[in-house]
Amino acid sequence: MEASSDRSQPVSQPPLYDLIILGASGFTGKYVIREALKFLNVPSSPLKSLALAGRNPAKLAQTLKWASHPDHPPPIPILTAETADPASLHHLCSQSKLILNCVGPFRLHGEPVVAACAETGCDYLDICGEPEFMERMEVKYHEKAMETGSLVISACGFDSVPAELGWMFNSKQWVGPAAPNQIEAYLSLESEKRIVGNFGTYESAVLGVANAEQLVELRRSRPKRARPAIPGPFPPKGPIIDHQKEIGLWAVKLPSADSIVVRRTLATLTENPRGLPGLDESLEQIEKREAFWSTIKPAHFGVKLGSKTLLGIFRFIAVGMFIGLLGSNAIGRWLLLKFPSFFSLGWFRKKGPSEDEVRSASFKMWFVGRGFSDMNVSRDKSKT
């Protein structure tokens, strides 16, 4: 159903919805809806009200029907909003406590949504894995978000929740005086059929190469952030292809957002050793926050993409070379985006994976830590 909009409603009134999913009819958005419905009006869940938003109400209704199958679609309001229409986004934000943005690539479509949330005080989450976008939004809207009380958080999906949780878990296993020097994540994509990725992910990677220089310039323009005190020397680069016999994987470095997100968390933790305070925290909440973050130990972090065979690794390298070489110029980007299946060796296609391919796909991440038995003696025997 489509909700009627009353733009005369005062912004000061309590939000109508706990959550609005924006861009819900896209490839990722439809799976977000399906997961959200599992928590809607469940007694133990705080999610009591939900709305969907996007450019095409009819398509959103079809997506809701798909996500609800085999049940009938629940009576969830469907709202119209476009990232090219700031007024529609402001009105959207005035109706919700939280906007979950699924409209990507975020470097093309994400900023108006962040701006609207920061200006209205609505909280914002997205599933972005684009470092340049995340850092640029922090530069432009941090002060405004602080002023209005808007909490803006990116990378709340595959990028980079598993990596950051795994890094924190590994870090907490090192009991003093032992301390980690390096934690590496090994990612393995698995499927009973074939691995096929969403075109949006591929497009974001191509545009990431195109905007690499902008990210460098952005970082140069900002004050250097605090660096964590990590015991021991900087880890050696190691071989291009790594063989982890314990987990049965060959691996190669993956230039993903995960490493950048973890490094930003480490910088924030270095500047705020007790963690970032929340709004109106109770004494008990303060004690829990400080106790938790005191157990997290800094370490150099990296991610590697793994395969059970060397052939798989060579395919990873080939695709990376295609994107790296062609993504830096306009003609190359046109070729990459016009023929994704060819240049990704079949891993990405415009129509995305089929339902069977999605259902059969999974991933595993191993977190391997190396460090010292005594953090005060960096030359102690390395511990893994």
Side-chain angles (χ1 to χ4, degrees), residues 268-289:
T268 301
L269 187 57
T270 303
E271 297 163 350
N272 305 271
R274 298 179 179 180
L276 294 174
L279 183 65
D280 299 326
E281 284 182 314
S282 66
L283 181 60
E284 181 182 2
Q285 289 171 329
I286 293 174
E287 291 175 349
K288 286 183 177 180
R289 166 172 54 81

Side-chain angles (χ1 to χ4, degrees), residues 176-179 231-232 372-380:
F372 305 97
S373 58
D374 187 340
M375 64 181 298
N376 298 311
V377 185
S378 62
R379 294 184 180 276
D380 274 4

Side-chain angles (χ1 to χ4, degrees), residues 86-383:
S88 71
L89 294 176
H90 277 72
H91 181 58
L92 201 69
C93 293
S94 71
Q95 299 181 80
S96 185
K97 298 176 183 177
L98 172 65
I99 299 292
L100 174 51
N101 187 15
C102 300
V103 183
F106 290 88
R107 60 174 43 87
L108 300 180
H109 307 293
E111 182 171 353
V113 188
V114 174
C117 286
E119 290 166 5
T120 60
C122 179
D123 290 338
Y124 170 95
L125 292 179
D126 68 33
I127 53 173
C128 172
E130 304 168 33
E132 189 272 339
F133 169 79
M134 291 186 278
E135 297 187 30
R136 179 161 48 88
M137 293 303 97
E138 182 181 0
V139 171
K140 296 186 69 172
Y141 298 104
H142 176 71
E143 294 300 327
K144 189 64 179 179
M146 288 281 289
E147 178 185 325
T148 62
S150 172
L151 184 63
V152 179
I153 306 179
S154 286
C156 295
F158 181 74
D159 294 316
S160 296
V161 172
E164 192 154 41
L165 288 178
W167 157 69
M168 287 193 291
F169 177 81
N170 189 293
S171 171
K172 288 168 67 70
Q173 308 312 304
W174 295 76
V175 180
N181 170 266
Q182 179 185 35
I183 297 173
E184 289 186 301
Y186 290 82
L187 169 64
S188 174
L189 304 175
E190 302 182 1
S191 176
E192 297 175 357
K193 296 183 179 294
R194 58 179 300 184
I195 298 295
V196 178
N198 176 33
F199 177 75
T201 301
Y202 175 80
E203 184 181 16
S204 294
V206 172
L207 295 178
V209 172
N211 290 276
E213 188 59 35
Q214 294 181 20
L215 178 57
V216 172
E217 292 176 1
L218 176 64
R219 289 174 175 170
R220 286 174 179 169
S221 68
R222 303 186 66 190
K224 289 187 177 181
R225 300 193 65 178
R227 291 188 176 184
I230 301 174
F234 195 88
K237 287 186 176 181
I240 295 177
I241 298 176
D242 180 13
H243 188 204
Q244 281 290 324
K245 296 181 181 179
E246 293 83 358
I247 57 179
L249 288 180
W250 297 88
V252 64
K253 182 179 178 181
L254 178 65
S256 71
D258 292 340
S259 299
I260 294 172
V261 169
V262 169
R263 284 199 295 269
R264 293 179 68 196
T265 298
L266 279 171
T268 301
L269 187 57
T270 303
E271 297 163 350
N272 305 271
R274 298 179 179 180
L276 294 174
L279 183 65
D280 299 326
E281 284 182 314
S282 66
L283 181 60
E284 181 182 2
Q285 289 171 329
I286 293 174
E287 291 175 349
K288 286 183 177 180
R289 166 172 54 81
E290 293 181 351
F292 174 82
W293 287 111
S294 68
T295 63
I296 303 299
K297 299 177 178 64
H300 301 286
F301 182 77
V303 181
K304 293 186 176 182
L305 185 57
S307 172
K308 294 179 180 179
T309 67
L310 269 175
L311 178 60
I313 292 298
F314 292 140
R315 290 183 68 190
F316 294 153
I317 294 174
V319 173
M321 291 179 65
F322 280 140
I323 295 176
L325 293 174
L326 297 177
S328 58
N329 63 83
I331 295 177
R333 288 193 295 275
W334 181 85
L335 288 170
L336 288 169
L337 298 177
K338 182 70 174 179
F339 307 104
S341 183
F342 175 80
F343 287 105
S344 70
L345 304 182
W347 275 323
F348 294 94
R349 56 182 181 228
K350 285 195 173 181
K351 64 179 181 180
S354 67
E355 282 298 307
D356 286 341
E357 288 167 338
V358 171
R359 197 176 298 112
S360 67
S362 63
F363 73 93
K364 293 180 181 178
M365 291 187 83
W366 288 265
F367 294 85
V368 180
R370 301 176 180 86
F372 305 97
S373 58
D374 187 340
M375 64 181 298
N376 298 311
V377 185
S378 62
R379 294 184 180 276
D380 274 4
K381 184 178 179 181
S382 179
K383 174 182 177 181

